[in-house]
Amino acid sequence: MKDKVLKDKMLNNKSKTIKPIKKPDKLSSYFKADIITLIIITFTGIVYNVGMTASPYFEGRLVQKLYECFDGTATYKDMIILSLIYIFVIIIVQSTRAVKRFYTRRFSNNTSRNMRHIIYNSIINKSGQELTSDGLGDMMTRAVSDVDDCAEGMRKFTTEIFDTGVVLISYIVMLIIYDWRLTLISCAFVPIAYIIASRLKVMVTRFNETYKRYAGKLNGMTYDRISNGLTFRVFGREDCQDSTYADFLDEYEKKAVIANMWESTMQPIYNIIAMMGVIPIIYFGSRNIMGEGWTLWNIGAFTTFISCYTKMALKASKSAKLFNSVQKAYVSWKRLKPFMQEYIHNDETENVVDVKMLEFSHVNIKYKGSDEYVLKDVTFSAEKGQIIGVTGVVSCGKSSLGKLFTGETVYTGNVFMDGLQLSDLSEGQISERVSYMGHEPELMSASIKANILMDKPNTTDVYLKNCELWDEVNIMPDKENTYVGNGGFALSKGQQSRIALARTLCHGKSIYILDDPFSSVDKNTENQLFKNIKAVAKDGIVILISHRLNHFPEMDKVLFLQNHNAFFDTHKNLYEQNREYATLYQMQTGGGSDDRM
């Protein structure tokens, strides 16, 4: 129950406005958007990583001081004082590290949030056809996994600028101060690890691209398996589907293992190569202690040098791993980039603009990206207070006409609302004039109340009654607070459709586009729904799209769609003059004329 309440609160709260990102298809834009955070990271990163040299320095001093204590040239008090100084310095250094890590993580979170807002905005502003062609599983992989990988790669890159770049320079400077010749010999092994890592980045990129593709397909198959589970059971195809899913899961796991192997398992090799520099240090360092080398050392200097080198070598080998992380982020960024578009701000409005006339004049309609027109030369008009019935055989373009008002289909010709061209209006201006109920209910995973009100300060009572849901909802365990499930799976098809209708009426404007509002209801319920729609929308214009023609004699006009063409007239005239319409009506009503004509 708490989860349901939380989801409703999330849906009933307006989302926070994100910081605008200029040129979101450029990675540099996300760094510029968080410049203050990056300045803090830069300052604390330099302090921390320069301070990292204090550790090997004091380790050498402590070893030397301990030797002097045994030798009698120093006291244990000197050892304690040096230890306290060391602890104090380390506290300061580690404090700056904590600040740097906090703000680095904050930068990563900000980047992830900004990317998610942009990609989600891009996805929800795609047409249904585009969403279908791209594949839900692949889009969810982009929105979740790819954003995580990209933000993590940017975080590691930001971190390693200091944790590798600055600290390596600091360590190398210290090593040169102690013995520049030995530094050159021992550090010769470090570039080898870099070279190997850079050569392997092609393999890392290739296998990660394959892994991402399989991850997207797996997400799609998982969603399909869950959403169509009942169908598989009814037809006894569960075993077959499970076998197919298991086979693909095996392939996905293989791709994931290979991708992770190239990304992670090479790290020990990098470490071994980098640490091979310890061998010449032991040999030449011991000669320095004995006074036979290039520089005169004591035990403390030897300890400092070897400690400094091992820390540097480990950092250097981890930077090779950074190459792999950056390549992984690059793969994700390539997949995200097509979705990284300028943020589309859809105006939220509860304003209602009174529309007295809706006119279609020689309108041709097609889907975005298609060259073929679904409907041609559609001409009709509707006045305030009228109900226009739209019908035709299956796949005649009924829903395509309604989708014109949502931007999912495009048109040539003229569509006027009180003389204003539809294509010249913004989404916010259209929203002030049009309420739309699609063929699919598109319910959210929330309560019935949240699905109807959608943050509107109102009650659901009148809308539940108008949609013949009042009695059904009030016998449910939580009444209007009943959770509908993912996509409304906990409800019947008829209940899903009526909740979508209740939502449309709740947010009613001057023009109502109702696509199949009588879906999956019995005849008595249909009769009452039509009566209620007439009463609620008596001061508006209703475009009622339906394949159920029982109430078409009561419509003011009928738009009959046939073979991509449109015929507009009264029900009586169409029945008498259009044989196809008459046949369709007779099939729907059992034959014969209707006394309502």
Side-chain angles (χ1 to χ4, degrees):
M1 187 64 187
K2 289 183 179 179
D3 291 340
K4 299 176 187 178
V5 173
L6 178 60
K7 288 186 177 182
D8 284 353
K9 285 182 177 180
M10 292 171 65
L11 287 164
N12 290 328
N13 283 327
K14 297 183 182 296
S15 60
K16 296 180 180 179
T17 303
I18 66 165
K19 188 174 182 179
I21 303 293
K22 295 180 180 179
K23 298 181 179 179
D25 60 337
K26 304 288 185 183
L27 276 176
S28 58
S29 300
Y30 299 91
F31 288 97
K32 293 177 182 177
D34 226 356
I35 191 67
I36 301 300
T37 302
L38 291 174
I39 290 173
I40 297 173
I41 293 171
T42 301
F43 174 76
T44 54
I46 291 174
V47 172
Y48 163 63
N49 286 287
V50 171
M52 286 286 287
T53 58
S55 181
Y57 172 76
F58 277 99
E59 286 172 8
R61 288 287 307 275
L62 287 169
V63 170
Q64 184 62 34
K65 189 64 66 176
L66 182 61
Y67 174 79
E68 292 173 357
C69 288
F70 290 147
D71 194 41
T73 56
T75 65
Y76 287 103
K77 181 180 178 181
D78 298 329
M79 184 75 175
I80 293 173
I81 293 173
L82 184 60
S83 299
L84 292 175
I85 295 173
Y86 178 36
I87 293 171
F88 176 74
V89 171
I90 292 301
I91 288 173
I92 295 176
V93 171
Q94 292 300 322
S95 297
T96 58
R97 182 192 186 192
V99 174
K100 180 185 75 71
R101 289 173 67 93
F102 171 80
Y103 279 96
T104 302
R105 181 58 64 181
R106 184 173 181 176
F107 165 71
S108 176
N109 292 342
N110 290 343
T111 300
S112 177
R113 185 179 69 250
N114 288 332
M115 284 185 173
R116 289 188 199 284
H117 272 285
I118 291 169
I119 193 171
Y120 291 155
N121 182 261
S122 178
I123 289 173
I124 65 174
N125 281 284
K126 282 180 171 287
S127 67
Q129 189 177 24
E130 289 174 312
L131 292 175
T132 302
S133 63
D134 286 339
L136 179 61
D138 191 57
M139 281 188 295
M140 292 309 298
T141 301
R142 295 177 198 247
V144 179
S145 176
D146 284 329
V147 170
D148 286 341
D149 289 343
C150 195
E152 182 65 10
M154 293 173 69
R155 183 192 70 81
K156 287 184 177 180
F157 174 78
T158 305
T159 299
E160 295 302 332
I161 287 177
F162 304 103
D163 286 1
T164 299
V166 174
V167 77
L168 281 180
I169 293 172
S170 301
Y171 283 145
I172 290 172
V173 169
M174 175 176 277
L175 291 174
I176 290 174
I177 291 173
Y178 274 80
D179 190 331
W180 66 270
R181 297 179 185 86
L182 185 51
T183 301
L184 292 177
I185 295 173
S186 58
C187 290
F189 294 93
V190 175
I192 298 175
Y194 278 95
I195 293 171
I196 294 174
S198 64
R199 292 290 178 86
L200 291 175
K201 68 181 181 181
V202 176
M203 304 294 290
V204 173
T205 300
R206 191 175 75 192
F207 287 114
N208 265 288
E209 285 177 342
T210 303
Y211 162 67
K212 289 294 183 181
R213 286 198 304 271
Y214 272 75
K217 292 179 181 178
L218 181 65
N219 285 337
M221 289 183 68
T222 303
Y223 179 82
D224 181 69
R225 183 68 182 86
I226 294 172
S227 60
N228 296 305
L230 178 60
T231 302
F232 295 137
R233 288 200 300 272
V234 168
F235 289 96
R237 303 301 294 169
E238 281 190 291
D239 290 342
C240 179
Q241 290 299 320
D242 288 344
S243 176
T244 302
Y245 185 82
D247 290 342
F248 191 86
L249 184 60
D250 288 340
E251 285 298 314
Y252 164 78
E253 289 174 347
K254 291 176 183 177
K255 304 301 180 185
V257 168
I258 293 173
N260 290 329
M261 179 185 72
W262 285 100
E263 180 187 352
S264 303
T265 59
M266 294 302 294
Q267 185 60 46
I269 297 177
Y270 302 148
N271 292 343
I272 292 170
I273 295 172
M275 291 301 292
M276 287 177 67
V278 173
I279 297 173
I281 293 175
I282 293 174
Y283 175 74
F284 290 104
S286 61
R287 291 179 62 85
N288 287 345
I289 294 174
M290 293 185 292
E292 299 174 358
W294 296 302
T295 307
L296 184 61
W297 279 359
N298 55 24
I299 294 176
F302 176 81
T303 303
T304 297
F305 193 92
I306 198 168
S307 174
C308 186
Y309 178 81
T310 53
K311 287 179 171 59
M312 184 209 68
L314 288 173
K315 280 291 181 182
S317 63
K318 288 181 179 179
S319 66
K321 185 179 179 181
L322 172 65
F323 290 163
N324 295 341
S325 298
V326 170
Q327 286 305 121
K328 185 177 180 180
Y330 175 68
V331 171
S332 295
W333 175 248
K334 284 202 304 182
R335 288 166 49 82
L336 291 173
K337 193 172 181 179
F339 290 86
M340 295 293 112
Q341 303 167 359
E342 291 291 339
Y343 195 86
I344 301 173
H345 293 275
N346 297 317
D347 300 330
E348 294 185 17
T349 178
E350 288 295 336
N351 297 331
V352 178
V353 175
D354 187 30
V355 178
K356 296 180 175 61
M357 176 70 75
L358 172 65
E359 299 173 272
F360 276 59
S361 178
H362 305 291
V363 174
N364 304 306
I365 301 173
K366 66 179 180 178
Y367 281 94
K368 289 182 177 179
S370 174
D371 296 326
E372 183 178 351
Y373 285 98
V374 181
L375 293 172
K376 299 176 182 177
D377 199 30
V378 178
T379 299
F380 74 94
S381 61
E383 299 178 3
K384 184 176 181 179
Q386 287 187 332
I387 298 180
I388 307 299
V390 180
T391 192
V393 298
V394 176
S395 301
C396 65
K398 298 187 294 294
S399 295
S400 303
L401 177 69
K403 290 177 180 178
L404 199 64
F405 294 90
T406 66
E408 291 189 77
T409 54
V410 294
Y411 71 94
T412 60
N414 296 296
V415 179
F416 293 114
M417 289 187 282
D418 284 347
L420 297 176
Q421 184 73 255
L422 176 66
S423 59
D424 293 336
L425 301 178
S426 68
E427 288 190 358
Q429 291 172 319
I430 294 174
S431 179
E432 292 175 333
R433 294 165 170 81
V434 179
S435 293
Y436 174 79
M437 172 189 170
H439 182 70
E440 298 294 332
E442 295 188 359
L443 301 185
M444 301 173 289
S445 299
S447 67
I448 293 173
K449 179 180 178 180
N451 270 283
I452 294 174
L453 297 182
M454 294 181 69
D455 198 34
K456 185 175 182 178
N458 206 336
T459 59
T460 62
D461 298 5
V462 65
Y463 307 110
L464 292 174
K465 291 175 181 177
N466 284 332
C467 294
E468 299 301 305
L469 277 166
W470 176 259
D471 293 336
E472 294 177 45
V473 169
N474 276 282
I475 63 174
M476 293 180 181
D478 297 317
K479 297 182 170 47
E480 65 176 10
N481 293 313
T482 298
Y483 182 61
V484 305
N486 187 14
F489 77 87
L491 307 175
S492 70
K493 292 293 184 181
Q495 289 170 333
Q496 293 175 21
S497 177
R498 281 177 285 158
I499 289 174
L501 178 60
R503 177 171 60 198
T504 305
L505 298 180
C506 176
H507 300 269
K509 303 299 169 64
S510 291
I511 299 174
Y512 293 83
I513 310 296
L514 307 179
D515 192 348
D516 205 10
F518 308 135
S519 175
S520 304
V521 298
D522 58 57
K523 190 171 182 179
N524 290 333
T525 304
E526 177 186 344
N527 293 338
Q528 193 59 47
L529 282 175
F530 183 72
K531 179 182 177 181
N532 295 342
I533 288 172
K534 286 179 66 177
V536 171
K538 62 183 178 180
D539 295 325
I541 298 171
V542 178
I543 306 298
L544 198 156
I545 303 168
S546 180
H547 64 279
R548 300 173 70 160
L549 308 184
N550 294 324
H551 293 280
F552 271 57
E554 301 174 57
M555 309 285 187
D556 293 284
K557 291 285 183 70
V558 173
L559 184 69
F560 178 57
L561 306 178
Q562 179 188 19
N563 297 327
H564 305 294
N565 296 314
F567 302 90
F568 184 65
D569 211 326
T570 62
H571 166 78
K572 180 178 179 180
N573 289 342
L574 280 173
Y575 185 85
E576 293 175 349
Q577 299 170 14
N578 191 302
R579 185 176 63 183
E580 287 78 10
Y581 178 75
T583 301
L584 188 64
Y585 179 75
Q586 290 167 5
M587 291 174 61
Q588 284 283 319
T589 60
S593 62
D594 195 291
D595 57 8
R596 291 174 288 180
M597 292 191 294

